Amino acid sequence: MKRIAALIGRTAVACWHHGSPHFPPLPAWAPGPAYRCPQIRHLAAKQNKGQFKGQKINSKPVKLEKQQKQEVEIKQRMTVSELAKAMNKDIDHVYEALLNTDVDLEELEPDTVLEEKWIKEAVKRSGMKHKWAKLVETKVRENKDIQRQPPPDPAQLVPRAPVVTIMGHVDHGKTTLLDSLRKSQIAAQEAGGITQHIGAFRVQLPSGEKITFLDTPGHAAFSAMRARGAMVTDIVILVVAADDGVMNQTIESIQHAKKAKVPIIVAVNKCDKPQADPQRVKEELVGHDVVCEEFGGEIQANHVSALKGDNLLELAEATVTLAEVLELKGDPTGLVEGTVIESRSDKGKGPVTTAIIQRGTLRKGCTLVAGKCWAKVRFMFDEYNQAVSEAGPSIPVEIVGWKDLPSAGEEILEVESEQRAREVVEWRSYMEEQDKIKEDQQAIEAKQKQHQESYNKDRESMAHLSWRQRRAALYRANKHKLSHRLSEKTEIEELTLPIIVKGDVDGSVEAILNVLESYDADDQCELDVVHFGVGDISERDINLAETFSGTIYGFNVAANKSVQQMAAKKGIPLRLHRVIYKLIDELKDDLSSKLPSTTEENIIGEASVLATFDVTVGKKKIPVAGCRVQKGQLDKKMKFRLVRGRNILWEGKPMPVSRVKYMLI
């Protein structure tokens, strides 16, 4: 029987049931029950209510504070890194937010520009909300560049010496011709007997006239130098050997002269040789629109011998006559204008440029700007390394005082002060940076468009598949994009040739780089130009080559003893040359050594199987094929191949197969 004891207020309630195994029996000293009740009353407490009668109950519900979402300022054309910075997250967070979307994560880079919908999607998936950034009005940067002056007053013009460029094929006697005119021995000093730089000289004729000559290299690698010489010249002397005729660089020189709209004088050289044929040379020139006077044209042709000095005076007089017809004049007043013919780094002088002055008079203390470099002229030297105080129009001069080394072909302009020069250089650097940003942006947009079209095409082709089938198809299609194993990576890295190029002048480095740009076998062995510059080999070059496991190629530069010892200790190859085609040949050999070896098969004999039979040797039966030699001869020391039709059945020692043909390799 159940009993309930109820106490009002703070009295506890207890219940016992006699004989129940869940409750202990009443002790013997306990009094009897106050009353008996046949029913059980269940008590329940409401949640959030006062548990006791005297306690005050708060009836108002508790309000949960609403979590404030982080706001992210977004704008058009945000990159991945910019979005991550705006969200105060790392780049990997953006990648995770764009997971399982149409964005190709494999092609996503930190500088990749995202579309507006993917920017919003990444913010939304990150539990944030976006707001558009306020448009800030940016000031248009003032143009600080400098331009050439307007044409001068004709009354200020004075006659000037002509600038003549000697052009032609390699080894046709250009430098020897110039040596004979100025009685020098430049050709004997040239490495390999070929000119490899632009030389600027002044020659005074017996009659008193002065001519500025530019001697351009004839090797195929120096095409840019020839073009640069043609653009700053008044007259082109085209040298053609009477025994060789019109060659590749002869044709190229004609094209440069026509592009620059410069008159041509033909000098048919080496007429003293027995096999010389000047008439054939002039006939070949007609095929390239160079019509000499005897064929009804306007171009003068002179038969000369640079080695013996024959008819050189007639050639010089023809040049002076043509210059008088052209009425060449210059303005020696006003700000200086010129062109960088060549630039180099000298140990004692620092950055040095060879320039042709085209306007004004250059003096010490002038402030010049060329490209992104500027100079305050400290010294000037002529072609004989003699100091000069001033240089007017048509005069070649070496300029010392550049802060950096300008590139050959740059336009030289004079400015009022050093502050103005810095403004011009800063503006040009800024504009170059902006142009690069635009080019990169266009490339990124084109790449994104290409990937989007490819993605849409793949989706359309797999639209009929289930998600499992689509996933399997995508895996099979992208399997080749998975990372290579370590052994495969090592093999790929070996097919790369990192190189460092150093040259004595800027034009030489430019010529070598132009040759390297024509390399088109990157699929077999990648050619990686790690660094290039002007000057001798330094310890910095050795350390850089060690970092990239590269090879150093030097043209007309030196490496002191300590640098050579450092390179030998670190195992850095030094390829130093004074002739450019020898440098290119060794570069080709180094590239070939990187390529995997190829196996060539030479068939020295063929035979056909006429019959097969067995021969008992001891307890074994050995199959034998009876053959008839059809071509060549068979040698048991060589390997045999057994073929039927186009199928290779076996390679090694002969085996019996009926009516088949095998070839010896």
Side-chain angles (χ1 to χ4, degrees):
M1 185 176 181
K2 297 181 179 179
R3 296 182 301 173
I4 299 177
L7 300 177
I8 308 300
R10 299 178 65 180
T11 306
V13 178
C15 298
W16 286 270
H17 184 274
H18 289 286
S20 173
H22 302 287
F23 299 94
L26 290 173
W29 51 265
Y35 68 94
R36 299 181 182 274
C37 181
Q39 296 180 351
I40 300 174
R41 184 179 180 184
H42 299 278
L43 303 178
K46 225 176 190 181
Q47 193 175 6
N48 296 330
K49 296 290 183 179
Q51 191 173 358
F52 305 104
K53 185 176 181 181
Q55 185 178 357
K56 187 176 180 181
I57 300 174
N58 185 12
S59 59
K60 293 183 179 180
V62 178
K63 290 185 178 180
L64 296 176
E65 293 185 2
K66 189 175 181 181
Q67 186 177 2
Q68 190 71 21
K69 290 186 177 181
Q70 178 184 345
E71 287 186 342
V72 180
E73 285 191 354
I74 65 173
K75 59 183 180 181
Q76 294 283 351
R77 313 189 65 78
M78 290 185 75
T79 62
V80 175
S81 57
E82 290 175 347
L83 179 59
K85 185 177 181 180
M87 296 169 63
N88 198 19
K89 301 286 185 181
D90 56 8
I91 296 178
D92 291 337
H93 178 84
V94 179
Y95 292 155
E96 293 176 2
L98 296 176
L99 200 63
N100 298 325
T101 62
D102 293 344
V103 179
D104 188 359
L105 297 181
E106 292 183 359
E107 299 295 335
L108 212 59
E109 299 292 340
D111 57 351
T112 303
V113 179
L114 295 172
E115 298 180 15
E116 179 184 335
K117 62 178 181 179
W118 301 126
I119 296 174
K120 294 180 179 178
E121 183 68 17
V123 173
K124 181 180 178 182
R125 291 190 174 199
S126 301
M128 307 175 186
K129 63 179 182 179
H130 68 273
K131 67 175 182 179
W132 289 102
K134 294 181 180 179
L135 295 177
V136 179
E137 185 178 354
T138 57
K139 294 183 179 180
V140 178
R141 192 165 181 174
E142 184 182 356
N143 189 340
K144 297 288 186 178
D145 203 358
I146 185 174
Q147 302 295 333
R148 281 184 177 267
Q149 306 171 70
D153 186 0
Q156 297 178 347
L157 299 179
V158 297
R160 63 175 178 84
V163 179
V164 180
T165 300
I166 299 180
M167 305 177 72
H169 193 72
V170 62
D171 199 28
H172 275 200
K174 300 181 296 298
T175 307
T176 306
L177 174 64
L178 185 59
D179 294 343
S180 300
L181 286 172
R182 68 173 192 154
K183 305 300 181 182
S184 63
Q185 293 294 326
I186 298 299
Q189 302 173 12
E190 291 288 352
I194 62 172
T195 301
Q196 302 177 115
H197 309 101
I198 287 185
F201 313 97
R202 295 192 80 194
V203 175
Q204 184 170 0
L205 302 179
S207 57
E209 290 88 355
K210 294 182 179 180
I211 303 176
T212 298
F213 282 100
L214 300 181
D215 183 18
T216 63
H219 192 273
F222 297 98
S223 175
M225 286 191 181
R226 286 190 293 275
R228 186 158 57 247
M231 296 302 294
V232 298
T233 190
D234 302 313
I235 301 171
V236 168
I237 294 181
L238 182 65
V239 179
V240 188
D243 55 344
D244 281 351
V246 177
M247 305 296 284
N248 294 336
Q249 274 66 60
T250 310
I251 300 172
E252 184 185 313
S253 300
I254 295 172
Q255 294 173 350
H256 289 321
K258 289 184 176 181
K259 184 177 181 181
K261 299 180 180 179
V262 178
I264 297 175
I265 295 177
V266 176
V268 184
N269 194 20
K270 301 184 181 182
C271 290
D272 56 317
K273 286 191 172 184
Q275 62 270 31
D277 189 358
Q279 193 68 19
R280 179 178 62 88
V281 172
K282 290 183 283 188
E283 291 175 357
E284 291 177 355
L285 290 173
V286 173
H288 301 283
D289 295 333
V290 179
V291 184
C292 299
E293 290 178 340
E294 59 184 277
F295 295 113
E298 298 179 354
I299 296 177
Q300 302 179 66
N302 296 270
H303 300 177
V304 300
S305 174
L307 191 61
K308 295 184 177 181
D310 297 341
N311 296 330
L312 294 185
L313 186 59
E314 289 78 358
L315 177 63
E317 290 176 354
T319 304
V320 173
T321 302
L322 181 58
E324 291 176 354
V325 173
L326 296 175
E327 295 183 354
L328 301 175
K329 294 183 179 181
D331 178 17
T333 62
L335 299 177
V336 175
E337 296 178 1
T339 302
V340 177
I341 298 299
E342 196 55 273
S343 59
R344 61 186 174 88
S345 181
D346 190 274
K347 289 183 179 179
K349 302 175 183 176
V352 179
T353 62
T354 300
I356 292 288
I357 306 302
Q358 297 167 318
R359 186 176 180 180
T361 302
L362 182 64
R363 298 181 177 86
K364 290 183 181 180
C366 291
T367 305
L368 307 177
V369 174
K372 295 182 294 180
C373 305
W374 68 279
K376 189 173 183 64
V377 180
R378 295 191 292 117
F379 301 102
M380 295 184 297
F381 300 91
D382 60 10
E383 64 270 22
Y384 302 103
N385 204 25
Q386 300 294 324
V388 295
S389 58
E390 62 180 27
S394 300
I395 297 180
V397 63
E398 278 193 354
I399 302 173
V400 179
W402 295 94
K403 306 304 178 183
D404 295 302
L405 194 64
S407 299
E410 295 282 2
E411 183 182 56
I412 296 177
L413 298 175
E414 184 183 1
V415 293
E416 299 82 7
S417 62
E418 296 183 18
Q419 178 63 29
R420 180 75 179 103
R422 292 190 182 94
E423 291 178 354
V424 173
V425 171
E426 183 182 354
W427 168 259
R428 291 181 176 180
S429 300
Y430 168 76
M431 291 304 298
E432 183 180 4
E433 182 181 353
Q434 294 300 313
D435 293 340
K436 188 177 183 303
I437 291 175
K438 290 180 181 178
E439 291 178 1
D440 294 343
Q441 186 61 43
Q442 292 175 357
I444 291 171
E445 290 178 354
K447 197 72 173 177
Q448 286 181 336
K449 184 178 179 180
Q450 179 183 354
H451 283 298
Q452 187 64 33
E453 292 176 354
S454 177
Y455 176 81
N456 295 335
K457 185 177 179 180
D458 293 341
R459 285 293 180 181
E460 291 176 0
S461 62
M462 294 185 291
H464 62 285
L465 301 177
S466 63
W467 70 272
R468 291 182 183 276
Q469 295 173 334
R470 189 182 301 114
R471 185 174 181 181
L474 288 174
Y475 174 78
R476 289 192 299 269
N478 299 326
K479 191 175 181 180
H480 66 282
K481 296 182 181 179
L482 299 176
S483 60
H484 297 279
R485 293 188 295 273
L486 182 60
S487 60
E488 295 177 349
K489 286 184 177 180
T490 305
E491 183 180 356
I492 292 175
E493 290 174 359
E494 290 178 352
L495 298 180
T496 302
L497 180 62
I499 65 173
I500 295 174
V501 178
K502 297 298 289 288
D504 56 342
V505 295
D506 184 73
S508 300
V509 177
E510 178 189 18
I512 296 173
L513 295 179
N514 289 339
V515 174
L516 298 182
E517 286 181 0
S518 63
Y519 179 72
D520 57 354
D522 284 332
D523 54 336
Q524 300 180 24
C525 181
E526 182 181 357
L527 184 60
D528 183 16
V529 181
V530 176
H531 172 69
F532 60 88
V534 177
D536 290 341
I537 309 297
S538 63
E539 294 184 0
R540 177 180 176 273
D541 299 325
I542 302 297
N543 294 328
L544 194 62
E546 182 187 18
T547 303
F548 290 92
S549 301
T551 304
I552 299 177
Y553 291 87
F555 177 70
N556 268 340
V557 295
N560 57 41
K561 190 173 181 180
S562 62
V563 171
Q564 292 180 3
Q565 292 175 350
M566 182 179 179
K569 184 179 180 180
K570 296 185 177 182
I572 304 301
L574 289 178
R575 316 291 195 205
L576 304 181
H577 294 276
R578 298 193 64 194
V579 180
I580 190 168
Y581 58 78
K582 291 184 178 180
L583 185 147
I584 300 302
D585 290 342
E586 186 163 10
L587 177 59
K588 291 178 181 178
D589 294 339
D590 290 342
L591 284 170
S592 300
S593 65
K594 288 282 185 178
L595 298 177
S597 58
T598 57
T599 304
E600 294 183 358
E601 296 182 354
N602 296 321
I603 300 175
I604 63 174
E606 295 181 2
S608 60
V609 178
L610 300 181
T612 60
F613 52 91
D614 295 334
V615 175
T616 303
V617 178
K619 296 182 179 181
K620 293 183 179 180
K621 288 185 177 181
I622 298 177
V624 178
C627 305
R628 176 181 292 166
V629 177
Q630 303 290 343
K631 185 187 299 184
Q633 61 181 2
L634 304 185
D635 189 347
K636 63 180 180 180
K637 296 180 181 179
M638 299 296 176
K639 291 183 179 180
F640 289 79
R641 175 179 295 163
L642 188 65
V643 298
R644 178 186 286 120
R646 295 183 179 180
N647 299 324
I648 299 175
L649 303 180
W650 173 84
E651 287 184 353
K653 294 181 180 181
M655 61 177 291
V657 177
S658 178
R659 296 298 176 187
V660 297
K661 178 183 177 182
Y662 68 90
M663 293 187 298
L664 185 66
I665 61 173

